[in-house]
Amino acid sequence: MSNWIKVKLGDIVELKRESYQPKPDEVLPYIGLEHIGQGTLRLISVGKSNEVTSTKSYFSKGDILFGKLRPYFRKVVRPKFNGVCSTDILVLTSKNPRKFNQTFLFYLMASQEMIDLATASSSGTKMPRADWKVLQNLEISIPEDVNEQERIGKILETIDDKIDINIRMNKTLEEMAMTLYKHWFVDFGPFQDGEFVESELGMIPKGWDVREVGEVIDLAYGKALKQSDRKEGDIPVYGSSGIVGYHNESLVSGPGVVVGRKGNVGTVMWVDEDFYPIDTTFYVVTKKGINLFYVYMVLKNKNLSSLGSDSAVPGINRNIVYKQKILIPPEHVLSRFEHYISDFFKKITFNIGENKHLQSVRDYLLPRLLSGEIDVSQAEKQVEEVL
């Protein structure tokens, strides 16, 4: 590692401190910690600046956003747009992009070593926060050649770009599945030539039924699982925002459906594998053999978020959901629908599995590239083979 140099973090990374006061008539993209995936290095969603009130921080496209509250959650992202973020997020950028590559610095800040150092530097017991005054004095090793930094950053970014492509593809597949659902069960496209009858939901094909949600499914409570109680494993832990970590035991056998109960109220997520839903969620238990694909599409189409309360901590009462009326087609219709819809979900499942593998490859390479343990040319070939 003769071409690597030791530097202080504060000599290569700059903390940006430009404040922003939200205005009711101005809407900017807003990122809070709740919008950043835990350990995934990507955004779950994006909020709006006019929906928050306290002082925020500006960030620019390509800046590194590093969650300083409970840094062990590894909430680090690099947005591709300008906006504002929570003051519990450090906004970081290269002090000199010609000497210190920004992409390389992003993966440096997202490395488990940096997360561990930030956690060790945290102050506060219940709400530990990383201290930039401590972090900026950390001594680290980096390649002296900025081109070498760029190559390392590119290797890791290429993997993340493929993950993003799969995520976008899955979103498109979900939209296609929903379009098919609406064509069949909202517009009744394939059934227009048949007889229709009046119902509580309007005119529906004869022989179809209307039931309350509570007649066909139960919404079971997820179970609390503190971060400190999670043991190393590959079982995804689901909160209302999606995967929030992993554990070595499952609570529910997949496939399954998770519904946000607290926080991201009413979010509906399909899970194809065994999983552990925590107490901010419900998980669906079907009755009378009702088709799970159909239940998922029905709940997605119901806009459950509109049923949430307006309390300080938004939540959803399952008894309100149970009273919602839904359409129940005959079994042979549901079987045909499952036949068509399953192809979409097979592809979604494949992409999810590929992303898990890609993320594990990235997280394997990341510390080894940052330490010089793996030759850059060797890593480039390895990524070419994976992709």
Side-chain angles (χ1 to χ4, degrees):
M1 292 178 56
S2 58
N3 62 332
W4 288 54
I5 57 173
K6 286 191 173 183
V7 296
K8 285 186 177 180
L9 186 61
D11 291 336
I12 63 175
V13 175
E14 177 183 355
L15 174 64
K16 298 173 73 171
R17 302 176 183 272
E18 190 177 359
S19 296
Y20 171 78
Q21 189 61 44
K23 306 173 182 66
D25 57 347
E26 182 176 40
V27 182
L28 300 176
Y30 167 70
I31 296 176
L33 290 173
E34 68 274 16
H35 300 122
I36 304 175
Q38 183 178 319
T40 64
L41 311 189
R42 49 198 14 91
L43 291 169
I44 298 168
S45 60
V46 178
K48 299 177 181 178
S49 62
N50 64 339
E51 295 176 348
V52 293
T53 54
S54 59
T55 301
K56 305 301 174 189
S57 301
Y58 276 109
F59 66 82
S60 300
K61 177 183 177 180
D63 282 344
I64 301 161
L65 303 189
F66 184 94
K68 67 177 183 179
L69 176 64
R70 299 190 180 97
Y72 48 79
F73 284 144
R74 198 184 177 212
K75 295 196 170 190
V76 190
V77 290
R78 190 181 174 204
K80 298 180 180 180
F81 51 85
N82 300 331
V84 296
C85 65
S86 163
T87 53
D88 276 324
I89 296 173
L90 299 175
V91 182
L92 306 172
T93 191
S94 172
K95 276 199 167 180
N96 184 346
R98 288 181 296 181
K99 293 179 65 177
F100 313 118
N101 179 264
Q102 181 78 348
T103 304
F104 172 85
L105 293 179
F106 166 64
Y107 288 106
L108 173 68
M109 295 306 302
S111 67
Q112 191 59 51
E113 181 181 9
M114 186 61 67
I115 297 300
D116 292 342
L117 290 169
T119 301
S121 77
S122 299
S123 56
T125 305
K126 291 186 177 180
M127 304 281 278
R129 285 178 170 82
D131 188 345
W132 178 248
K133 291 180 180 178
V134 177
L135 289 178
Q136 67 181 344
N137 289 312
L138 293 175
E139 194 174 70
I140 56 174
S141 295
I142 65 169
E144 184 175 17
D145 184 357
V146 70
N147 292 321
E148 188 84 347
Q149 298 172 25
E150 185 176 359
R151 287 176 70 192
I152 291 172
K154 187 63 178 176
I155 290 168
L156 300 167
E157 187 177 47
T158 298
I159 297 173
D160 275 326
D161 286 345
K162 174 58 176 173
I163 292 174
D164 285 337
I165 289 171
N166 284 345
I167 290 172
R168 290 196 298 272
M169 186 184 299
N170 279 0
K171 183 178 180 183
T172 299
L173 289 165
E174 286 248 10
E175 290 169 351
M176 292 169 65
M178 181 56 75
T179 297
L180 183 64
Y181 165 82
K182 289 181 177 179
H183 176 62
W184 278 46
F185 304 116
V186 177
D187 301 330
F188 305 117
F191 314 104
Q192 288 296 326
D193 293 337
E195 185 179 350
F196 280 68
V197 295
E198 186 67 47
S199 78
E200 296 172 89
L201 295 177
M203 298 298 291
I204 63 172
K206 186 176 181 180
W208 294 29
D209 200 3
V210 174
R211 303 271 184 84
E212 291 185 350
V213 169
E215 293 181 65
V216 295
I217 67 166
D218 281 326
L219 292 175
Y221 286 99
K223 187 176 179 182
L225 183 64
K226 294 179 181 178
Q227 181 76 16
S228 58
D229 292 335
R230 295 175 197 172
K231 299 176 182 177
E232 188 174 343
D234 58 2
I235 300 296
V237 178
Y238 272 82
S240 62
S241 60
I243 296 175
V244 295
Y246 291 88
H247 189 46
N248 68 336
E249 295 180 2
S250 64
L251 185 64
V252 182
S253 297
V257 176
V258 176
V259 178
R261 184 177 75 88
K262 294 283 188 181
N264 289 322
V265 174
T267 55
V268 182
M269 295 164 279
W270 176 267
V271 186
D272 196 65
E273 58 190 326
D274 295 352
F275 61 101
Y276 197 114
I278 60 174
D279 54 352
T280 59
T281 69
F282 295 117
Y283 61 93
V284 171
V285 178
T286 58
K287 301 178 182 178
K288 302 178 181 178
I290 189 73
N291 183 287
L292 190 62
F293 283 126
Y294 182 71
V295 168
Y296 172 67
M297 303 307 292
V298 167
L299 294 178
K300 286 278 283 189
N301 194 51
K302 270 291 180 183
N303 188 22
L304 298 181
S305 60
S306 64
L307 304 178
S309 66
D310 294 326
S311 61
V313 181
I316 191 168
N317 186 322
R318 63 180 178 176
N319 291 319
I320 295 176
V321 179
Y322 286 161
K323 293 297 182 183
Q324 303 300 303
K325 303 289 186 180
I326 60 171
L327 188 63
I328 304 297
E331 187 174 337
H332 72 275
V333 173
L334 289 177
S335 296
R336 282 175 56 204
F337 178 68
E338 181 178 10
H339 172 73
Y340 289 114
I341 212 79
S342 62
D343 289 338
F344 294 116
F345 283 88
K346 284 177 184 176
K347 182 59 177 174
I348 289 171
T349 299
F350 175 83
N351 289 340
I352 290 172
E354 184 176 55
N355 278 0
K356 286 181 70 174
H357 175 63
L358 289 170
Q359 186 170 317
S360 68
V361 170
R362 181 201 66 199
D363 288 344
Y364 171 81
L365 290 175
L366 199 162
R368 290 163 177 79
L369 284 168
L370 294 181
S371 66
E373 181 183 332
I374 291 182
D375 179 75
V376 176
S377 296
Q378 177 188 344
E380 286 171 336
K381 291 179 181 178
Q382 187 173 342
V383 170
E384 282 181 13
E385 292 172 359
V386 170
L387 298 180

